[in-house]
Amino acid sequence: MSKDFDVSRSFYDALDFTQTVINGNLSLYERDGVSFYLQRYYVKEWLENTMLFVVVDDVHQFFQHLQELKLDQIYPSVKVLPIQKEEWGEVGLFQLYSESPLVACTQRFPYHHFHT
């Protein structure tokens, strides 16, 4: 879901997601085992309560990659927030922009981290 479908498509393209156009109102995005549908559809309340989590092997490396892309200069409402330490691991958050969901990148953990 996005308020501005074309801007959202451009944003995910910049993040190196592969886009498969389903039709003029729906695309499938895939990257490194993550996939989601983006549609030309907007409900403010739904969008404000949506978050996309992307699990990466190295959150610091991905954070550096985001900074190198300078998405905050291309998309005025993008905000890249510093990596935060949570009790379950390190998380990098960035706000796509006011028309799209929040994206969180988290470090990949071994399976035994959650199952003792």
Side-chain angles (χ1 to χ4, degrees):
M1 172 175 9
S2 75
K3 187 173 184 180
D4 188 325
F5 188 63
D6 294 327
V7 171
S8 296
R9 289 170 58 187
S10 171
F11 180 85
Y12 289 113
D13 289 342
L15 285 174
D16 298 324
F17 279 88
T18 300
Q19 178 186 187
T20 302
V21 176
I22 308 299
N23 61 43
N25 296 314
L26 181 67
S27 289
L28 172 65
Y29 280 88
E30 299 175 282
R31 178 182 176 187
D32 300 328
V34 173
S35 60
F36 63 92
Y37 289 96
L38 181 68
Q39 59 183 343
R40 188 185 310 268
Y41 182 75
Y42 178 71
V43 175
K44 184 178 187 277
E45 295 78 17
W46 186 17
L47 191 68
E48 289 175 348
N49 288 293
T50 301
M51 179 182 282
L52 172 67
F53 263 90
V54 178
V55 178
V56 297
D57 290 324
D58 185 333
V59 74
H60 294 276
Q61 182 181 26
F62 191 74
F63 183 76
Q64 181 179 345
H65 176 64
L66 289 177
Q67 291 178 317
E68 291 168 358
L69 291 174
K70 299 182 182 189
L71 296 173
D72 56 340
Q73 294 175 21
I74 299 168
Y75 304 96
S77 56
V78 166
K79 294 177 181 73
V80 179
L81 306 174
I83 295 171
Q84 303 171 25
K85 286 194 179 249
E86 302 290 343
E87 64 184 58
W88 46 271
E90 293 183 313
V91 181
L93 299 172
F94 60 99
Q95 177 73 43
L96 301 185
Y97 43 88
S98 57
E99 293 87 16
S100 281
L102 181 72
V103 171
C105 299
T106 184
Q107 185 88 20
R108 184 180 315 274
F109 294 104
Y111 180 76
H112 69 273
H113 181 81
F114 295 107
H115 300 85
T116 56

